[in-house]
Amino acid sequence: MNRNTDTHAAVLLFFLITTLWLPGLSFARAPDSTTEETVTIDGIKYPVPAPWMGHKIEGPSWLSVPPLVPVPRKFVENNGKVYLLPKAKNSFVAMAEQAELDGIHLVIDSAYRSAHYQRKVYQRQIKAGKTFAQVARYVAPPGYSEHILGLAVDFSPSDWRFAKTPAYAWLKQHAAQFGFRETYPESRPDHNPWEPSHWRYIGDN
């Protein structure tokens, strides 16, 4: 009887020691795996707000001006210079040329943007008096924008007004034929802001 009691006590003591003090065992308390996502603007760390949190986008390390190609300036706002990856650019040009035949002039004002460029957008807005949270309501934080992939474009005007244009209606009907999709539509489960002017090349169907 005493021997059984001693055995039970020893087993209980061993369990308590391994549970409370020995790290790395499967029945020890798991560490908190949640980590705050932040971006740094001018030396200040800002928490990434919903809905961007958890959606960081890593652009390929080789993506720079050499593999990117310019979009014909006649399809760019103010004849500006913007770049896409070749396949996205070729599909965009084919789409824009078809739209011209249908009486629709597609014009973009943004394509590839680096995380550095995205950070400069935030710097300008914050210096103009907006808070980080106010900017993040409509602009992806650095490292969270699809533009870093070299596949996305913003049509002009690049805000909610684009949804009222014939160009938007044409894209809704025809863009998928050219591999483009509206990736921030009005109704989304992750509640990202609606960006009717933002479309991304996703490839052939």
Side-chain angles (χ1 to χ4, degrees):
M1 184 70 175
N2 290 338
R3 181 178 298 176
N4 289 338
T5 302
D6 292 343
T7 301
H8 291 160
V11 170
L12 178 61
L13 180 61
F14 175 78
F15 178 79
L16 290 174
I17 290 173
T18 54
T19 301
L20 297 177
W21 289 295
L22 291 181
L25 295 178
S26 60
F27 44 79
R29 184 177 179 181
D32 185 5
S33 61
T34 58
T35 55
E36 184 182 45
E37 295 179 48
T38 62
V39 296
T40 303
I41 310 289
D42 290 332
I44 301 174
K45 283 188 176 181
Y46 297 93
V48 174
W52 306 113
M53 186 172 56
H55 296 283
K56 190 169 185 179
I57 298 174
E58 296 291 346
S61 60
W62 47 261
L63 188 57
S64 59
V65 173
L68 296 165
V69 292
V71 176
R73 293 193 177 195
K74 66 178 181 177
F75 298 126
V76 182
E77 184 78 9
N78 298 320
N79 293 313
K81 244 185 186 180
V82 298
Y83 296 85
L84 289 170
L85 288 176
K87 195 166 184 180
K89 173 257 183 181
N90 292 339
S91 292
F92 170 78
V93 170
M95 181 171 69
E97 288 175 344
Q98 180 58 55
E100 292 279 0
L101 295 176
D102 294 339
I104 301 294
H105 186 47
L106 296 180
V107 178
I108 60 176
D109 64 12
S110 183
Y112 168 74
R113 296 202 303 254
S114 66
H116 175 70
Y117 181 95
Q118 201 78 0
R119 187 171 286 104
K120 287 169 64 177
V121 172
Y122 269 74
Q123 288 172 330
R124 288 196 299 268
Q125 299 265 15
I126 291 172
K127 286 179 181 177
K130 292 184 179 180
T131 65
F132 179 89
Q134 288 173 329
V135 181
R137 285 185 62 189
Y138 303 103
V139 181
Y144 290 78
S145 171
E146 289 187 337
H147 288 283
I148 199 173
L149 300 173
L151 301 172
V153 298
D154 287 343
F155 289 93
S156 179
S158 57
D159 54 31
W160 62 267
R161 293 173 298 165
F162 184 72
K164 304 294 185 182
T165 65
Y168 179 71
W170 188 93
L171 287 168
K172 293 285 282 185
Q173 187 175 356
H174 300 287
Q177 301 169 23
F178 300 91
F180 278 85
R181 183 177 70 188
E182 182 185 3
T183 48
Y184 298 139
E186 187 171 8
S187 298
R188 296 190 61 192
D190 58 7
H191 306 296
N192 262 346
W194 181 29
E195 294 187 43
S197 61
H198 180 92
W199 294 69
R200 173 182 166 183
Y201 177 74
I202 57 172
D204 300 329
N205 293 332

